[in-house]
Amino acid sequence: MVDVGVPQALRQQAIWCKAFDSPFTAELCETMADDFEAGGIIADLTGGWITHPVQDALALRLAGALHAIALTEPEGRLAQVWPQQGRAWSMAEAWPVAVESLRAREHWVRDFLKSPPQTNEVRRAVGLWPGLCAAAEAFDGPMDVLELGASAGLNLSMDRFHYDGGSWHWDSPVAGPRVALSTQWSGPPPRFPAHAAIRHRAACDQKPLNAALPEDRLRLRAYIWPDQPERLERLNAAMEIARSQSITPDAGDAADWIKAKLATRAKDALTVIYHSVFFQYPPQAVRDAITLAIETEGARATPEAPLAWLRFEPGGILGHEQKGASMILELIEWPSGRRRVLADLDPHGRFVHWHGA
């Protein structure tokens, strides 16, 4: 059954890549599916895959391995046929070189495939930062943030980014490396209280990356689709900010980590837990444990130490109607218990429909 599922997973990812404006990665996934069915290198690499290839994002692991090779060997044959920096491409030309590269580095590729993708898109901050500011409106004290499923923690620096929503702009007052984010914004502009600022920030991931380490920086870059150079530019800028702040997410189980963090949270601050395109991946038991820990602490929240939970996730996983591939931005606040959907948005931050705070 697993063997049957691999080409299906590759073709499903192709559909998603087309929807998210990466024709190269879409055609690459289709080609890898054909190769698997023909008994080629993809079948050799993944034919014994023992877990769920869709849930494991196997297609992205394979595409990421090839992109990593192209990035590490800029003068190599694969880099010359890969769509780096907007270069024109032909899959008929690229795939034979890809097969050659996979064969030559098979041991390395197998090792690369063992780790999950690292695709915490920086442009999700166009929803997350207005969401944090919405949480901060009713409390004029400091704000501490805790991120689940943070990868390298790049979005922990969202208050250092610069935002262009067309009808509104927000520029970070902090000097330093610049990340400029734009989106197609509809609805009323967000509100940015003058006092909204992050005092302390922390994050966890099962296998966190460190933007200061060359091998981790490569893995982050590898999962950016190569025909989307603007995403790579944003990633590079965000990694520089993370390095400048020495951001290093903790390794650990999200449920255990958040329970421990909430047990010692500050009593003079708003604490905001947030995550983006994360909640669908942990097993149900872990999701239930995370929810219980947050709701239990929420019941103890006070006006002097409020708690908020900001969720950038598929609506269906949060008990709402699922609208195609779009996400919702939901905010739950304590001690009021107020729960509201702030926005419908794109997983890569390409558009945001803001409902208003």
Side-chain angles (χ1 to χ4, degrees):
M1 289 296 293
V2 173
D3 285 357
V4 172
V6 169
Q8 293 171 345
L10 290 165
R11 292 197 169 96
Q12 179 60 64
Q13 185 62 55
I15 293 171
W16 291 330
C17 290
K18 288 176 185 175
F20 293 115
D21 299 328
S22 181
F24 173 81
T25 311
E27 190 168 340
L28 176 63
C29 289
E30 290 280 6
T31 303
M32 290 193 294
D34 292 342
D35 180 89
F36 183 100
E37 291 172 336
I41 181 62
I42 301 302
D44 292 345
L45 289 169
T46 67
W49 200 260
I50 60 173
T51 52
H52 198 291
V54 173
Q55 190 172 19
D56 293 342
L58 177 57
L60 295 182
R61 298 185 193 210
L62 287 163
L66 284 164
H67 194 194
I69 294 170
L71 289 168
T72 53
E73 301 176 9
E75 303 304 321
R77 291 191 63 211
L78 187 64
Q80 303 311 307
V81 295
W82 232 234
Q84 311 277 54
Q85 299 165 337
R87 182 188 298 121
W89 57 272
S90 162
M91 192 57 62
E93 180 183 12
W95 181 244
V97 182
V99 171
E100 177 184 295
S101 298
L102 293 172
R103 290 285 185 202
R105 299 162 185 80
E106 186 169 339
H107 179 75
W108 178 88
V109 172
R110 288 184 183 278
D111 188 61
F112 187 95
L113 296 180
K114 293 176 182 177
S115 296
Q118 298 286 347
T119 54
N120 219 352
E121 171 58 41
V122 173
R123 195 159 58 171
R124 291 176 189 161
V126 298
L128 291 170
W129 178 237
L132 284 184
C133 288
E137 275 196 287
F139 182 75
D140 60 5
M143 176 167 56
D144 299 339
V145 299
L146 303 169
E147 184 179 9
L148 304 177
S151 185
L154 302 184
N155 281 330
L156 279 173
S157 302
M158 66 180 83
D159 56 333
R160 265 63 170 177
F161 299 169
H162 302 262
Y163 300 88
D164 179 0
S167 61
W168 61 270
H169 295 77
W170 188 86
D171 291 324
S172 172
V174 181
R178 179 184 178 92
V179 175
L181 303 178
S182 62
T183 189
Q184 295 179 11
W185 186 277
S186 61
R191 295 193 290 269
F192 298 102
H195 67 270
I198 298 174
R199 182 180 68 174
H200 298 308
R201 61 199 84 208
C204 80
D205 195 279
Q206 279 194 328
K207 293 186 177 181
L209 299 184
N210 185 339
L213 301 177
E215 60 270 27
D216 286 356
R217 291 166 68 86
L218 171 63
R219 186 168 287 272
L220 286 163
R221 290 185 175 116
Y223 282 111
I224 297 296
W225 296 332
D227 54 348
Q228 297 184 336
E230 72 286 352
R231 286 182 67 203
L232 187 60
E233 182 179 346
R234 289 194 296 268
L235 173 70
N236 286 334
M239 287 195 296
E240 288 307 310
I241 293 177
R243 289 175 66 185
S244 72
Q245 292 186 274
S246 300
I247 287 176
T248 53
D250 300 324
D253 174 82
D256 293 340
W257 184 87
I258 197 62
K259 185 176 180 179
K261 286 293 184 182
L262 291 176
T264 58
R265 77 184 185 96
K267 300 307 180 184
D268 65 341
L270 163 67
T271 301
V272 184
I273 305 112
Y274 77 91
H275 46 81
S276 61
V277 197
F278 154 78
F279 214 50
Q280 69 207 68
Y281 294 111
Q284 184 65 52
V286 174
R287 295 201 298 268
D288 290 345
I290 291 169
T291 300
L292 178 62
I294 295 172
E295 290 180 345
T296 299
E297 181 61 23
R300 293 193 287 256
T302 65
E304 296 73 31
L307 183 72
W309 188 6
L310 184 66
R311 316 196 290 184
F312 182 136
E313 300 290 347
I317 203 74
L318 302 181
H320 297 271
E321 178 186 358
Q322 183 61 47
K323 300 178 181 178
S326 68
M327 306 280 147
I328 65 169
L329 185 70
E330 182 180 57
L331 178 65
I332 308 174
E333 299 166 281
W334 292 276
S336 69
R338 186 182 185 188
R339 177 172 179 163
R340 48 191 165 140
V341 174
L342 299 176
D344 295 289
L345 24 59
D346 173 71
H348 287 183
R350 295 174 301 171
F351 65 81
V352 177
H353 176 61
W354 189 255
H355 303 312

